């Protein structure tokens, strides 16, 4: 038999040109779709809830009711209504908020290469062996048969559901391993900071398992106000003293007699730092320390001590000198231990030397002798207290630093300046991280205490889990009672089928149960100090090699589009997908330090906002649907995950800046088009004057944008009003929000204007959007294509030549649209380019919102400042495992959002208004609790 492709959708159905977050409806189970593998048989099947809903649709990801083809292409009941006027079909949507919908589809692009492509000897490689036999012949027939059978095996053993189960198991095992490691090795990250680490590149030090903050002068003064720090020891301690003081005052000069005490005082912050010259561990050093134990007023808050090389040098490395050193440090140890009860005391172990560079009078200072003195110090100081751990902290990390950098020493004994600065910064982190609690300084920071809101959220998710378990047990018992029974007369089984619909309450409990488990993982990754974190370190290879890799994958997995219109659904999903992947690589590689890359990433963010303007304008223009249901769908889709994270992770709404940005711009688009007079395509087709009216509306919007952009005071007054201030303040002001909004202030307007021009040209049939046809005539197409390529390259050259970030940011809002429009024309003018898309990129594009938000806490770490480390010591494997879990979590959250939207946002206006009243009450309660928390923190 021959296999027919799926029937075409009804011609009367209007495409929804906009984001899928507003188009979801209840999912209708349907028979398995037939047709070629490229159309109806994804390589991996999608698991639906309770039953399979057609492999083509992606299970729970349907955008509305209707057939699988309609849901997959964005049709269904959600699309009924206005918008069919003139037969114009505009599609495409903007930002990562459009990430669901088809995002729940198969994993075919991710693993399709395991078996290769189906043979192309005939129009299709049918999914059934018999069809392959009719279609192909010889070796090609056997290849088609092997492809089909192999694909079935993968579909049977590996699906989206099995991938998520694997991710869950991996997360649980990793959590157990890290918990066991913490119990065995200790949970004090200060010990790791003081004793272990490695260099990232040449000069960036990475402590083991935690992140080190680079303190600025103002931060150091704020931390050390009214503090007294004392350095006591030899010339190496003096070097450390100078580097430490230069953090507080970079202009401090290294001058004066080197073999005497050196005082430093900053009167503005009342900080006092002294260096006391005691090159040997002897009676003189003991007397100095003894004075501090007897006089509490003179006792420093921080004491950094260490010496040994002078003893080796003066006594020519004799064994007697080592024995005397042991006796002296044994007598000093109890005094240091007494000081350590009220002050922070650090004993600096001796760094290795570079023996080839030592002068003749220092040749006796060998690394063998230094190791012997260090062993003596460690043994005595660690045994200075009985039955308890010593309070004197050993500063041994400088040895590791010196091993990598001592070759750069000028005399073989003293470390180069960069190494001394690293040791001084470690000291600053040890003391100040627990005081200032910097986000990117996780070393020596305790786990933050749970807030009242976090405790209530934990109780809510726990109750949801208990409730779902009760529902599950009841459902299972009911299922057992309705098992097939045997007919005693015929001996055959009779199925007693009970089609019990899933209740809304059960959907809610199941969704919140899964969400609770996911939020627990978020908390463990970025708040509980269970997993390790590392600082970012940028290299060109760490950014460009992954870019090339995903580009190859994206080009390899290409398929034909279902239609060839400009910015069709598959194309916009592809666009969002590759942009999101590039942004993820940009964040994890720390490429923001490289200005050309930063400027190009700014264009990608602007392109998301451009799609937001294009997609939402197209929807309202074609459909004229300004109902409250549409608004609630979009707002829920955009903000649900962020609101949950604000509660669970104790972060302000503005922290996830992109979501407030697209939310505000959606409301701007909605208000602009919904206000009287409401001008839609159907109305404008009857009278061209309505087009002029719409252009006047857009002109007024542009005028308002310009006013707010150049009137910071007015902008801040508007968004500083309560309760808006609760949403848009960050660190006590709205400057960050103003900066983010102003950076891409025109691009949403450009997207709306582009949509209007495109739909007008399409309405007048000026564009040729047939399969394989150029968009315009050959001459015009070639001319526009040439102009687009030149414009695209010109912008890239300008962005790559940027020298000042502030100046480039000023020009960015006006010129970013050049590269965006140039890309759209390059992608859509040639008919062959418009007819294909990358299924690999499109898959990620459908969950781009979840990917963008989830990366903050479960792929990156410390609120995007660092990198999450699940597998220490193997960066490549760590990235693979953490990325796999991260993508599975993002995909599951997208499904949860879809399920909850169907339950919480009914189409009935009366029910919807009741839900809105409950939502308002919820946020009022949240504001009250937030105010109570803020007062308790003061």
């Amino acid at each position: 038999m021959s296999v027919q492709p799926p029937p075409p959708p009804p011609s009367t159905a209007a495409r929804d040109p906009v984001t899928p977050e507003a188009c979801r409806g209840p999912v209708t189970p349907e028979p398995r779709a037939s047709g070629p593998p490229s159309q109806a048989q994804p390589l991996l099947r999608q698991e639906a809830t309770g039953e399979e809903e057609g492999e083509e649709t992606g299970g729970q990801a349907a955008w509305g009711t209707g057939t699988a083809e309609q849901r997959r292409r964005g049709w269904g009941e959600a699309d009924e209504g206005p918008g069919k006027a003139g037969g114009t079909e505009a599609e495409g949507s903007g930002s990562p908020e459009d990430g669901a919908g088809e995002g729940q589809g198969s994993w075919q692009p991710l693993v399709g290469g395991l078996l290769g492509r189906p043979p192309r000897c005939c129009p299709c490689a049918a999914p059934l062996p018999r069809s392959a036999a009719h279609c192909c012949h010889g070796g090609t027939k056997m290849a088609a048969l092997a492809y089909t059978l192999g694909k079935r095996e993968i579909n049977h053993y590996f699906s989206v559901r099995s991938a998520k189960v694997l991710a869950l198991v991996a997360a649980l095992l990793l959590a157990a391993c890290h918990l066991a490691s913490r119990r065995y090795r200790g949970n004090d990250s200060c010990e790791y900071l003081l004793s272990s680490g490695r260099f990232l590149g040449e000069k960036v030090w990475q402590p083991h398992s935690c992140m080190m903050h680079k303190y600025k002068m103002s931060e150091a003064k704020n931390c050390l106000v009214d503090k007294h720090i004392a350095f006591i020891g030899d010339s190496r301690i003096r070097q450390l003293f100078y580097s430490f003081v230069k953090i507080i005052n970079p202009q401090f000069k290294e001058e004066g007699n080197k073999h005497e005490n050196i005082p430093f005082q900053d009167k503005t912050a009342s900080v006092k730092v002294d260096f006391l010259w005691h090159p040997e561990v002897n009676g003189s050093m003991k007397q100095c320390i003894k004075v501090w134990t007897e006089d509490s007023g003179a006792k420093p808050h921080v004491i950094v001590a260490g010496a040994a090389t002078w003893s080796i040098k003066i006594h020519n490395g004799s064994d007697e000198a080592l024995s005397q050193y042991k006796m002296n440090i044994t007598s000093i140890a109890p005094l240091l231990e007494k000081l350590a009860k009220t002050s922070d005391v650090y004993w600096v172990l001796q760094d290795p030397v570079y023996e080839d560079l030592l002068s003749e009078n220092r040749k006796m200072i060998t690394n063998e002798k230094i190791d012997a003195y260090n062993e003596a110090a460690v043994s005595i100081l660690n045994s200075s207290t009985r039955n308890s751990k010593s309070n004197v902290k050993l500063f041994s990390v400088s040895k590791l630093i010196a091993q990598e950098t001592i070759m750069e020493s000028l005399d073989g004994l003293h470390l180069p300046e960069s190494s001394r600065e690293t040791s001084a910064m470690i000291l600053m982190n040890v003391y100040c991280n627990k005081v200032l609690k910097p986000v990117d300084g996780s070393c020596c920071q305790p786990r933050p205490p749970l807030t009242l809101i976090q405790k209530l959220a934990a109780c809510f998710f726990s109750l949801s889990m208990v409730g779902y378990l009760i529902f599950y047990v009841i459902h299972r018992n009911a299922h057992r009672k309705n098992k097939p029974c045997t007919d005693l007369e015929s001996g055959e089984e009779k199925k007693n089928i009970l089609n019990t619909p899933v209740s809304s309450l059960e959907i809610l409990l199941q969704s919140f149960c899964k969400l609770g488990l996911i939020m627990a993982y978020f908390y463990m990754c970025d708040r509980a100090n269970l997993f390790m974190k590392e600082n970012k370190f940028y290299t060109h290879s760490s950014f460009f090699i992954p870019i090339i890799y995903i580009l190859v994958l994206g080009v390899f997995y290409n398929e034909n589009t279902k239609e060839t219109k400009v910015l069709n659904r598959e194309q916009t999903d592809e666009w969002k997908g590759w942009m999101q992947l590039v942004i993820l690589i940009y964040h994890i590689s720390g490429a923001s330090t490289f200005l050309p890359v930063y400027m190009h990433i700014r264009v990608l963010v602007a392109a998301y906002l451009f799609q937001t303007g294009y997609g939402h304008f197209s929807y309202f223009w074609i459909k004229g649907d300004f109902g409250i249901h549409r608004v609630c769908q979009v707002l829920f889709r955009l903000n649900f995950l962020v609101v949950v994270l604000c509660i669970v992770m104790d972060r302000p709404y503005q922290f996830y800046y992109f979501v407030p940005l697209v939310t505000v711009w959606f409301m701007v688009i909605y208000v602009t088009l919904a206000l009287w007079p409401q001008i839609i395509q159907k109305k404008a087709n009857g009278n061209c004057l309505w087009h002029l009216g719409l252009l006047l509306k857009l002109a007024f919007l542009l005028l308002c944008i310009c006013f707010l952009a150049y009137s910071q005071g007015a902008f801040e007054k508007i968004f500083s009003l309560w309760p808006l201030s609760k949403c848009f303040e960050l660190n006590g002001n709205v400057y960050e929000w103003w900066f983010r909004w102003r950076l891409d202030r025109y691009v949403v307007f450009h997207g709306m204007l582009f949509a209007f021009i495109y739909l007008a040209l399409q309405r007048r049939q000026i564009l040729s959007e047939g399969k394989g046809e150029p968009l315009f005539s050959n001459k015009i197409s070639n001319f526009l294509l040439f102009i687009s390529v030149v414009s695209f390259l010109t912008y890239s050259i300008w962005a790559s030549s940027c020298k000042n970030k502030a100046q480039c940011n000023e020009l960015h809002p006006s010129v970013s649209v050049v590269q965006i429009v140039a890309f759209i024309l390059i992608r859509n003018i040639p008919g062959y380019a418009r007819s294909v898309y990358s299924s690999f990129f499109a898959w990620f594009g459908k969950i781009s919102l979840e990917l963008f938000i989830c990366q903050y806490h479960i792929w990156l770490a410390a609120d995007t400042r660092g990198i999450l480390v699940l597998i220490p010591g193997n960066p490549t494997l760590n990235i693979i495992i953490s990325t796999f879990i991260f993508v599975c979590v993002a995909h599951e959250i997208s499904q949860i959002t879809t399920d909850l939207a169907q339950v919480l946002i009914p189409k009935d206006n009366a029910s919807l208004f009741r839900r809105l009243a409950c939502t308002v009450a919820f946020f009022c309660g949240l504001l009250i609790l937030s105010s109570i928390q803020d007062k308790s923190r003061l």
Side-chain angles (χ1 to χ4, degrees):
M1 68 177 186
S2 61
V3 179
Q4 300 296 329
S11 59
T12 57
R15 290 291 304 270
D16 183 354
V18 208
T19 59
E21 74 272 12
C23 312
R24 300 191 180 100
V27 179
T28 305
E30 58 175 288
R32 184 183 302 273
S34 61
S38 61
Q39 294 177 354
Q41 300 286 338
L43 190 57
L44 293 176
R45 74 188 193 286
Q46 166 69 37
E47 298 290 344
T49 304
E51 57 185 324
E52 193 165 278
E53 300 180 300
E55 295 176 358
E56 188 172 298
T57 66
Q60 296 179 354
W63 296 352
T65 57
T67 66
E69 177 68 7
Q70 287 174 331
R71 290 203 305 274
R72 200 193 59 73
R73 297 181 56 139
W75 300 345
E77 288 181 5
D79 296 333
E80 294 177 1
K84 295 181 279 189
T88 304
E89 294 179 10
E91 57 174 326
S93 54
S95 49
E97 75 269 21
D98 309 337
E102 290 179 308
Q104 331 303 339
S106 71
W107 289 58
Q108 178 179 0
L110 303 181
V111 297
L114 295 175
L115 295 173
R117 296 276 178 186
R120 300 285 183 166
C121 70
C122 51
C124 67
L128 300 175
R130 182 177 178 184
S131 302
H134 281 287
C135 168
C136 306
H137 53 276
T140 312
K141 178 179 68 175
M142 297 303 296
L145 181 60
Y147 172 82
T148 303
L149 295 176
K151 183 185 66 178
R152 284 183 175 181
E153 286 296 311
I154 292 181
N155 284 349
H156 181 70
Y157 291 108
F158 194 79
S159 63
V160 174
R161 183 178 180 181
S162 60
K164 291 176 182 176
V165 170
L166 183 61
L168 175 62
V169 172
L172 292 175
L173 287 176
L174 288 168
C177 291
H178 279 267
L179 184 61
S181 175
R182 294 279 182 179
R183 289 186 175 275
Y184 175 73
R185 301 181 60 182
N187 198 30
D188 187 3
S189 58
C190 278
E191 291 188 6
Y192 297 132
L193 178 61
L194 292 171
S195 62
S196 58
R198 70 184 192 279
F199 273 104
L200 302 176
E202 296 181 356
K203 297 182 179 180
V204 179
W205 182 254
Q206 172 58 58
H208 176 70
S209 82
C210 61
M211 296 170 58
M212 191 170 75
H213 178 66
K214 187 173 183 180
Y215 279 90
K216 300 176 183 178
M217 180 180 67
S218 59
E219 294 174 320
K221 289 183 178 181
N222 187 29
C223 167
L224 300 175
V225 62
D226 296 326
K227 295 295 186 293
H228 178 201
I229 299 95
F231 290 79
I232 179 170
D234 55 14
S235 57
R236 287 176 158 185
I237 298 296
R238 184 183 63 236
Q239 282 189 315
L240 186 58
F241 159 80
Y242 278 126
S243 297
F244 188 87
V245 168
K246 286 181 180 179
I247 299 175
I248 305 171
N249 183 6
Q251 283 75 40
F252 187 71
K253 304 289 185 180
E254 297 185 22
E255 55 189 15
N257 191 342
K258 295 182 178 180
H259 295 171
E260 64 181 17
N261 298 343
I262 304 173
F264 168 80
Q265 188 170 6
D266 188 294
K267 295 182 179 180
T268 59
S270 300
V271 180
K272 184 180 179 182
V273 186
D274 292 326
F275 168 69
L276 305 178
W277 173 253
H278 291 280
E280 290 189 86
V281 180
N282 53 20
S284 175
M285 178 182 285
K286 179 180 178 180
Q287 183 61 32
C288 178
I289 295 173
K290 187 176 181 180
V291 170
W292 289 336
T293 61
E294 296 173 350
D295 185 1
S296 59
K299 181 173 57 180
H301 298 90
V302 180
I303 300 168
V304 182
T309 54
W310 269 69
S311 297
I312 300 173
K313 177 183 174 182
I314 293 175
H315 301 285
N316 201 28
S318 65
D319 293 337
E320 292 79 6
L322 177 59
S323 299
Q324 186 63 42
Y325 179 84
K326 292 179 180 179
M327 293 174 58
N328 291 338
I329 202 169
T330 301
S331 64
I332 289 176
L335 300 176
L336 293 176
E337 192 65 36
K338 185 177 180 180
L339 284 173
K341 292 179 180 178
T342 55
S343 302
D344 288 351
V345 180
Y346 304 95
W347 185 267
V348 180
L349 299 183
Q350 294 300 299
D351 303 328
V353 296
Y354 192 49
E355 297 180 13
D356 294 343
L357 289 179
L358 292 175
S359 60
E360 289 298 325
N361 63 338
R362 292 174 175 169
K363 287 293 185 181
M364 71 291 296
I365 306 175
T366 64
N367 288 323
E368 183 181 356
K369 292 292 182 183
I370 287 176
D371 290 340
Y373 275 72
N374 282 337
E375 289 175 7
V378 171
S379 174
I380 294 169
L381 291 174
N382 283 339
S383 61
S384 59
T385 58
R386 295 181 178 179
N387 303 323
S388 64
K389 188 177 180 181
S390 174
N391 291 319
V392 179
K393 300 178 179 66
L394 295 175
F395 192 83
S396 59
V397 68
S398 60
K399 289 171 49 184
L400 299 178
I401 297 172
Q403 288 172 3
E404 300 291 334
T405 60
I406 192 62
M407 289 77 71
E408 302 172 17
S409 172
L410 297 178
D411 57 8
L413 177 66
H414 299 98
L415 294 178
E417 186 173 0
S418 61
S419 301
R420 292 152 39 195
E421 291 174 351
T422 300
S423 296
M425 194 60 69
I426 290 173
L427 276 175
M428 191 69 74
N429 274 260
V430 171
Y431 187 79
C432 291
N433 282 2
K434 56 191 174 185
V435 177
L436 299 183
K437 295 181 175 60
V439 174
D440 59 341
S442 62
C443 298
C444 299
Q445 276 202 52
R447 180 180 64 83
L450 287 172
T451 65
L452 175 61
I453 295 178
Q454 287 176 317
K455 292 176 182 177
L456 292 175
C459 292
F460 172 78
F461 285 124
S462 299
L463 290 175
S464 298
M465 293 177 189
V466 172
Y468 178 67
L469 288 176
I470 294 173
F471 262 89
Y472 177 78
V473 171
I474 294 174
H475 178 77
R476 188 174 181 181
N477 290 335
H479 178 72
R480 285 179 176 177
K481 292 178 181 179
N482 291 280
K483 278 187 175 180
C485 57
T486 304
D487 190 334
L488 297 178
E489 295 183 2
S490 63
E492 297 178 354
E493 286 189 344
K494 290 185 177 181
K495 293 185 179 179
N496 186 14
I497 299 175
L498 181 62
N499 293 322
T500 306
V502 179
S503 66
S504 298
L505 180 59
E506 186 172 356
I507 294 175
L508 285 175
L509 292 175
Q510 183 188 42
S511 298
F512 284 123
C513 176
K514 293 189 291 184
L515 188 62
L517 293 174
I518 292 172
M519 289 300 109
Y521 179 68
F522 271 77
Y523 188 85
M524 286 192 300
C525 287
D526 211 17
R527 289 295 178 274
N529 291 338
L530 177 63
F531 297 117
M532 300 178 181
K533 304 176 180 67
E534 289 188 355
N535 294 88
K536 299 177 184 179
F537 177 69
Y538 174 74
T539 62
H540 292 320
S541 60
S542 66
F543 177 75
F544 289 104
I545 290 178
I547 293 292
I548 295 172
Y549 178 69
I550 65 166
L551 179 63
V552 171
L553 287 175
V555 171
F556 184 77
Y557 296 112
N558 63 83
E559 296 180 11
N560 293 328
T561 59
K562 299 302 182 291
E563 62 175 351
T564 57
K565 295 186 180 299
V566 172
L567 292 179
N568 55 68
R569 174 66 63 182
E570 290 97 343
Q571 188 183 128
T572 52
D573 284 338
E574 172 203 88
W575 192 7
K576 288 182 293 182
W578 71 257
M579 288 195 302
Q580 185 58 59
L581 291 176
V582 171
I583 290 174
L584 291 175
I585 295 171
Y586 165 81
H587 283 156
I588 202 167
S589 64
S592 59
T593 57
F594 187 47
L595 192 53
V597 172
Y598 166 82
M599 291 307 301
H600 282 86
I601 296 298
R602 290 304 331 157
V603 176
L604 300 189
V605 176
Y608 274 115
L609 294 172
F610 180 93
Q611 290 187 55
T612 297
Y614 171 86
H616 291 305
F617 177 91
S618 300
Y619 179 87
F620 290 127
W621 175 248
I622 295 173
K623 288 191 166 288
D625 177 13
F626 297 102
I628 190 66
H629 181 262
R630 164 71 181 180
V631 176
C632 291
Q633 278 189 319
V634 175
L635 294 181
F636 183 87
R637 167 76 181 129
L638 291 176
N639 292 277
F640 171 71
L641 175 57
V642 166
V643 170
V644 174
L645 287 178
C646 289
I647 294 172
V648 173
M649 306 303 289
D650 191 28
R651 282 293 174 263
Y653 179 64
Q654 180 56 34
F655 175 76
Y656 307 93
Y657 73 93
F658 188 80
V659 171
L661 202 58
V662 292
T663 300
V664 168
W665 277 117
F666 167 73
M667 293 306 300
V668 168
I669 297 168
Y670 175 79
V671 171
T672 301
L673 298 179
L675 285 179
W676 183 90
Q678 289 185 2
I679 305 173
I680 61 174
Q681 188 182 61
K682 186 175 182 179
K683 182 187 291 186
N685 288 339
N687 190 338
C688 291
L689 290 177
W690 287 115
H691 288 90
L692 180 60
L694 180 63
L695 290 175
L696 290 175
K697 273 191 169 187
L698 294 179
F700 179 74
L701 173 61
L702 180 61
L703 185 64
C704 293
I705 293 171
C706 293
F707 171 75
L708 291 176
Y710 294 99
S711 179
Q712 182 178 353
F715 185 94
E716 291 184 349
K717 285 181 180 178
I718 293 172
F719 289 98
S720 295
L721 296 174
W722 193 90
L724 287 179
S725 59
K726 282 291 184 180
C727 295
F728 298 102
E729 279 187 355
L730 192 64
N731 300 322
N733 58 70
V734 296
Y735 174 79
E736 178 72 13
W737 165 236
W738 180 77
F739 170 79
R740 294 288 185 183
W741 177 87
R742 191 172 183 269
L743 201 55
D744 294 299
R745 57 187 179 270
Y746 299 129
V747 73
V748 174
F749 170 81
H750 292 147
M752 297 170 67
L753 187 61
F754 181 88
F756 174 74
I757 294 172
Y758 163 67
L759 294 175
L761 294 176
Q762 188 189 62
R763 171 66 182 167
R764 285 158 180 75
Q765 299 182 349
I766 295 175
L767 306 177
S768 301
E769 295 182 298
K771 189 174 181 66
E773 297 179 1
L775 201 58
F776 303 95
S777 64
N778 287 333
K779 289 185 178 180
I780 296 177
S781 294
N782 291 335
F783 174 75
L784 289 177
L785 201 57
F786 173 78
I787 295 297
S788 300
V789 171
V790 171
S791 301
F792 189 92
L793 295 177
T794 301
Y795 181 90
S796 292
I797 293 171
W798 170 79
S800 300
S801 61
C802 273
K803 302 299 181 183
N804 185 288
K805 182 181 286 189
Q807 293 178 358
C808 293
N809 280 341
E810 282 296 320
L811 291 174
H812 167 77
S814 303
V815 300
S816 60
V817 68
V818 174
Q819 195 167 44
I820 295 171
V821 174
F823 171 80
I824 293 173
L825 294 178
I826 294 171
R827 184 69 176 82
N828 287 276
I829 287 178
Y832 59 85
R834 212 169 54 249
S835 302
V836 296
Y837 77 104
S838 169
S839 56
F840 177 80
F841 290 143
W843 192 90
F844 287 98
K846 293 156 193 157
I847 56 171
S848 53
L849 175 65
E850 287 74 20
L851 290 172
F852 187 86
I853 299 172
C854 290
Q855 66 166 329
Y856 277 68
H857 303 293
I858 63 170
W859 198 52
L860 304 175
D863 298 339
T864 74
R865 305 294 180 87
I867 300 172
L868 179 67
V869 179
L870 300 178
I871 301 179
N874 194 328
T876 302
L877 183 60
N878 176 68
I879 288 294
I880 293 173
I881 299 299
S882 64
T883 301
F884 175 70
I885 299 175
F886 160 58
V887 173
C888 289
V889 168
H891 191 276
E892 183 62 29
I893 290 177
S894 182
Q895 286 190 337
I896 292 172
T897 306
T898 303
D899 295 340
L900 290 176
Q902 294 173 1
V903 175
L904 298 178
I905 307 178
K907 293 185 178 180
D908 176 52
N909 282 340
S911 300
L912 182 57
F913 279 114
R914 285 195 296 269
R915 302 281 172 84
L916 288 176
C918 294
T919 303
V920 171
F922 168 77
F923 281 108
C924 288
L926 204 58
L927 287 173
I928 294 172
L929 292 175
S930 178
S931 300
I932 295 173
Q933 282 185 181
D934 293 341
K935 290 180 180 179
S936 64
R937 289 171 178 172
L938 297 177

